[in-house]
Amino acid sequence: MPSGDTIFALSSGAPPAAIATIRISGSLAKQTLATLTGALPSERQAALRSLRDPADGRLLDRAVVIWFAGPATATGEDLVELHLHGGRAVVRAVETALANMPGLRMAEPGEFTRRAFSNGRIDLAEAEGLGDLLLAETEAQRVAALRMASGHLSRLANRWREAVLRLSAMVEAELDFSDEDDVDTGADETLRVLTLELAAEIDAVLARPHAERLKDGIRVVLAGPPNAGKSTLLNALVQRDAAIVSDIAGTTRDIIAVPVAYDGVPFVFSDTAGLRDDHGDGIEAIGIARAQDAIATADIVLWLGVPDGIPQHPAVWQIAAKVDRADVSRETADVARHLVSALTGEGIDALIADLVASARQLLPAPEDLALNARQHRLISQCGVSLHDAAGQSDPLIRAEALRQARAAIDSLLGHSHVEDMLDTLFGRFCIGK
Ligand code: GDP
């Protein structure tokens, strides 16, 4: 992606809207604003100006304009904002005028943020948080993403990085004196203890719940024999005070998955094909195999069958369904965690409250860091290298293990080895971000 150009894009939502914001970033941004308005307003001061097409002097719009001098800007470059009337034709006319100006081009998706990263305005963990913030649909997701975008992990990782550097310096000192006779065993022990302390701190962060559950939702699978009332209960669950969040890609058709949020906690409820031992035709057998997979990967299973058939799972809840009927089995009702009737609504609110309370245990707490898979992998690598360093007595091998620990943190923050993932990350952003 060429970075020398001056880029522009609509940074607000799709027109028509009350206001449309076009941002311009790069070395020609300031000059572009002067060309459009005739005279440059003072820096960082909003001004109402007529915008004219430099090609023919035609009035494009009357707009509030503002400019910021780099590098102390969102992108690290000179940055201009045009707050236009948000009509489609207005936006199109201004975009066309900008595209016709030499040295200017429309930005690629995420290019403003990528420039912010390239210019050191944000690091990779912050950029990831920003990407998540734009996609956040529930309150829990928003809080976690905002913490990440605000540099919470970055500050922690930078502190770890400095600690590793101090340990490396101690090893270097040891190497310098290693050919002398009186090797200082006390210093060696201090180094080992400090390394283990840092490793323990990192292990504690890794042990907390991951961000994936926060993003994808707590998986609740409804299982039981055919006609147990699974579909009806699923409908009753998702119709109650639930915010149906957007569809999740890749959901198989024969397992219905409904993403919903209760109290800001994201869930995905799945209804499975009925589980029976004597499965009949091939298609049903495939459905049953998928149901078993769904149970295996579920966070919570709601079992609507008889207690004898309850599947093996660490969090399976016996549910007595259809309790409005006279023929509810006593043995099921006696051991059930919840008694519900999808028909009358009995027990549904209590079941939802229990699900929300249990789900909160599986999600990162609001004040915790929610690590994504990439961050988790790199921080694990750092921890493994530190344990490795602590276990080594040879200073040369120990120095190398510490170097690897630091390399993992550098990758985490985007200081190295990250070109591939940058394309993926910034491609996720919309144009204009
Ligand atoms: P599934 O095969 O497990 O998904 O079961 P369904 O949800 O399709 O329900 C099977 C039958 O039980 C249907 O005729 C439903 O109307 C009925 N049913 C489901 N839930 C209730 C309930 O809470 N009370 C009563 N009386 N009938 C129910």
Side-chain angles (χ1 to χ4, degrees):
M1 201 181 287
S3 60
D5 310 349
T6 294
I7 53 171
F8 65 89
L10 180 67
S11 290
S12 52
I19 297 168
T21 303
I22 288 185
R23 289 199 297 175
I24 310 168
S25 180
S27 55
L28 296 178
K30 205 165 113 181
Q31 184 191 318
T32 303
L33 182 60
T35 309
L36 289 171
T37 58
L40 206 59
S42 309
E43 196 213 338
R44 290 181 182 265
Q45 299 219 341
L48 183 62
R49 289 284 188 276
S50 296
L51 303 186
R52 293 188 180 277
D53 190 336
D56 53 14
R58 188 171 57 106
L59 184 65
L60 294 167
D61 195 14
R62 289 271 292 162
V64 172
V65 301
I66 187 162
W67 74 278
F68 308 87
T73 63
T75 54
E77 305 173 325
D78 284 354
L79 191 68
V80 165
E81 287 180 11
L82 309 175
H83 299 274
L84 310 167
H85 292 101
R88 283 198 189 89
V90 180
V91 171
R92 201 180 316 122
V94 174
E95 282 181 339
T96 308
L98 290 171
N100 288 333
M101 292 168 75
L104 261 69
R105 69 168 168 82
M106 182 86 101
E108 311 265 349
E111 197 172 359
F112 287 91
T113 315
R114 188 162 189 159
R115 288 192 176 190
F117 170 73
S118 304
N119 294 324
R121 299 295 296 168
I122 55 172
D123 65 35
L124 199 48
E126 288 166 329
E128 284 175 314
L130 207 51
D132 290 342
L133 192 57
L134 298 179
L135 296 177
E137 299 210 42
T138 69
E139 182 61 11
Q141 290 165 347
R142 181 189 69 79
V143 171
L146 191 56
R147 288 178 75 79
M148 197 59 80
S150 312
H152 202 75
L153 173 62
S154 308
R155 281 191 291 280
L156 194 61
N158 275 310
R159 194 161 60 66
W160 291 338
R161 192 174 185 280
E162 279 163 29
V164 174
L165 277 172
R166 276 197 299 276
L167 294 171
S168 292
M170 287 169 74
V171 179
E172 297 296 333
E174 210 174 283
L175 275 170
D176 285 347
F177 294 109
S178 59
D179 43 355
E180 292 176 15
D181 290 342
D182 54 337
V183 174
D184 185 352
T185 49
D188 198 60
E189 180 57 16
T190 308
L191 185 61
R192 206 180 63 79
V193 169
L194 288 176
T195 308
L196 283 177
E197 269 175 21
L198 183 59
E201 186 186 331
I202 286 175
D203 288 346
V205 169
L206 288 170
R208 294 182 195 153
H210 301 195
E212 265 58 39
R213 287 287 179 285
L214 200 56
K215 278 192 202 151
D216 303 343
I218 299 291
R219 287 187 293 256
V220 180
V221 167
L222 286 80
N227 285 327
K230 301 182 294 295
S231 316
T232 315
L233 178 59
L234 182 109
N235 285 335
L237 282 170
V238 302
Q239 278 159 19
R240 289 236 159 182
D241 304 326
I244 306 265
V245 296
S246 65
D247 209 0
I248 287 182
T251 306
T252 51
R253 266 166 225 282
D254 42 356
I255 293 185
I256 302 159
V258 190
V260 299
Y262 291 111
D263 287 349
V265 176
F267 288 93
V268 182
F269 285 97
S270 308
D271 182 11
T272 56
L275 286 183
R276 308 189 285 203
D277 289 338
D278 58 337
H279 33 79
D281 61 51
I283 294 176
E284 196 184 343
I286 293 170
I288 290 169
R290 297 228 167 115
Q292 280 160 346
D293 282 352
I295 289 172
T297 56
D299 295 306
I300 298 170
V301 177
L302 303 183
W303 174 250
L304 278 72
V306 293
D308 282 352
I310 202 159
Q312 286 285 329
H313 189 280
V316 54
W317 298 1
Q318 176 75 53
I319 305 292
K322 309 187 196 178
V323 290
D324 57 285
R325 285 171 39 158
D327 59 350
V328 173
S329 103
R330 262 270 58 88
E331 54 155 349
T332 304
D334 284 348
V335 297
R337 176 157 170 158
H338 287 276
L339 291 88
V340 299
S341 164
L343 199 70
T344 65
E346 184 187 339
I348 304 282
D349 286 343
L351 173 57
I352 291 173
D354 195 2
L355 284 169
V356 169
S358 305
R360 288 198 202 280
Q361 308 293 314
L362 301 172
L363 293 174
E367 68 280 4
D368 272 355
L369 272 174
L371 302 177
N372 67 28
R374 187 193 76 91
Q375 294 161 346
H376 199 272
R377 179 173 50 80
L378 290 167
I379 295 174
S380 303
Q381 276 174 22
C382 176
V384 167
S385 298
L386 286 174
H387 281 290
D388 204 19
Q392 294 293 339
S393 50
D394 182 332
L396 266 178
I397 301 178
R398 188 176 262 180
E400 173 56 19
L402 288 173
R403 199 196 54 73
Q404 282 176 7
R406 201 178 68 225
I409 300 177
D410 283 344
S411 296
L412 175 71
L413 294 172
H415 297 166
S416 59
H417 309 307
V418 289
E419 272 311 309
D420 290 354
M421 82 77 57
L422 290 184
D423 288 338
T424 318
L425 170 65
F426 292 110
R428 262 192 337 155
F429 286 68
C430 40
I431 290 177
K433 183 64 202 170

